[in-house]
Amino acid sequence: MSDAVRIAILISGHGSNLQAIIDAVEAGRLPGVTIACVVSDRAGAFGLQRATRHGLPAIHFPYPPRSAGQAARRMRDAELADLLERHGVQWVVLAGWLRVLSGQFLRRFPNRVVNLHPALPGQFPGLNAIERAFQAYRATSQAGLPGETGVMVHLVPDESVDAGPVVAMESVPIYPDDTLESLTDRVHQVEHRLIVDALSKLLTEHRQPAT
Ligand code: GRF
């Protein structure tokens, strides 16, 4: 069996975590990992430009609108799995992908879908997690005391939102003089490191021959 592990990175926007993974691969910090393709459900996602700049296949993969119904969207998930398989993808990394993938998709990559979420396990699943953590701190904090949020990387076993076996997590302090912007920057810095560490751990384990 080849040592190389082919990953797809799914994004919906800015792609700063995608960039962190690309940089790590190019710097040899994820040995044996190949980025087979980058996929965005949004045409204007800046991450697609990042991928193109680095010579990676950058694919805009639009979804039908919500009004098309659940069945149409699930069918699109199956087509996404087909696309990834055509690119020889073994692992799927959700790095700012803002969709819940169906069980049908997940079963095509069992235990091989990884999600990055900017909060600690069980806290603030869904969109705008950093903002919600910041607001919760503001609403409950006692004067002068720091609070805590964090980052986690987890496997995606089913359609639960931002939940699953944790691969890596790290807490991030919230300081009384933080703004949403300063907290967001701090969380993103941790994300950029943690996603690479988690992939290193997962994919290195994956490459180890069975004993
Ligand atoms: C990250 O905070 C990620 O955890 C969340 O969406 C954001 C994407 O940022 N799911 P970017 O596109 O990687 O810059």
Side-chain angles (χ1 to χ4, degrees), residues 11-18 50 94-98 115-118 130 151 162 187-188 191-192:
I11 60 162
S12 296
H14 190 58
S16 66
N17 287 286
L18 163 69
R50 296 181 192 266
L94 311 180
W97 170 260
L98 300 180
N115 183 46
L116 170 69
H117 184 60
I130 303 173
V151 173
D162 297 319
V187 169
H188 282 165
E191 283 194 305
H192 297 163

Side-chain angles (χ1 to χ4, degrees), residues 62-116:
Y63 271 72
R66 203 168 282 277
S67 58
Q70 195 68 275
R73 290 152 73 88
R74 282 172 189 273
M75 189 175 296
R76 198 64 177 141
D77 278 351
E79 290 167 356
L80 176 60
D82 292 342
L83 173 80
L84 300 185
E85 280 180 5
R86 284 199 297 277
H87 281 80
V89 169
Q90 297 161 301
W91 284 78
V92 181
V93 181
L94 311 180
W97 170 260
L98 300 180
R99 295 184 163 277
V100 177
L101 290 164
S102 63
Q104 198 185 354
F105 176 95
L106 297 171
R107 283 190 289 280
R108 302 272 292 272
F109 298 92
N111 286 317
R112 295 201 175 180
V113 180
V114 184
N115 183 46
L116 170 69

Side-chain angles (χ1 to χ4, degrees), residues 39-205:
V39 177
S40 170
D41 58 334
R42 297 187 182 175
F46 181 60
L48 287 177
Q49 290 184 41
R50 296 181 192 266
T52 302
R53 267 188 217 157
H54 288 264
L56 299 169
I59 302 161
H60 172 220
F61 189 85
Y63 271 72
R66 203 168 282 277
S67 58
Q70 195 68 275
R73 290 152 73 88
R74 282 172 189 273
M75 189 175 296
R76 198 64 177 141
D77 278 351
E79 290 167 356
L80 176 60
D82 292 342
L83 173 80
L84 300 185
E85 280 180 5
R86 284 199 297 277
H87 281 80
V89 169
Q90 297 161 301
W91 284 78
V92 181
V93 181
L94 311 180
W97 170 260
L98 300 180
R99 295 184 163 277
V100 177
L101 290 164
S102 63
Q104 198 185 354
F105 176 95
L106 297 171
R107 283 190 289 280
R108 302 272 292 272
F109 298 92
N111 286 317
R112 295 201 175 180
V113 180
V114 184
N115 183 46
L116 170 69
H117 184 60
L120 291 170
Q123 296 185 2
F124 309 109
L127 298 176
N128 304 317
I130 303 173
E131 185 175 351
R132 286 184 289 137
F134 183 66
Q135 284 166 355
Y137 167 72
R138 279 290 175 87
T140 59
S141 72
Q142 299 183 4
L145 293 179
E148 181 191 56
T149 184
V151 173
M152 70 164 164
V153 178
H154 64 94
L155 295 176
V156 183
D158 56 33
E159 296 182 24
S160 311
V161 176
D162 297 319
V166 175
V167 178
M169 58 185 268
E170 186 170 318
S171 70
V172 176
I174 309 175
Y175 297 117
D177 61 352
D178 264 330
T179 60
L180 177 59
E181 288 69 33
S182 65
L183 176 62
T184 300
D185 284 350
R186 191 176 307 119
V187 169
H188 282 165
Q189 281 177 24
V190 173
E191 283 194 305
H192 297 163
R193 178 165 41 76
L194 203 71
I195 185 65
V196 172
D197 289 351
L199 290 178
S200 174
K201 182 176 160 188
L202 275 176
L203 302 180
T204 301
E205 281 170 7

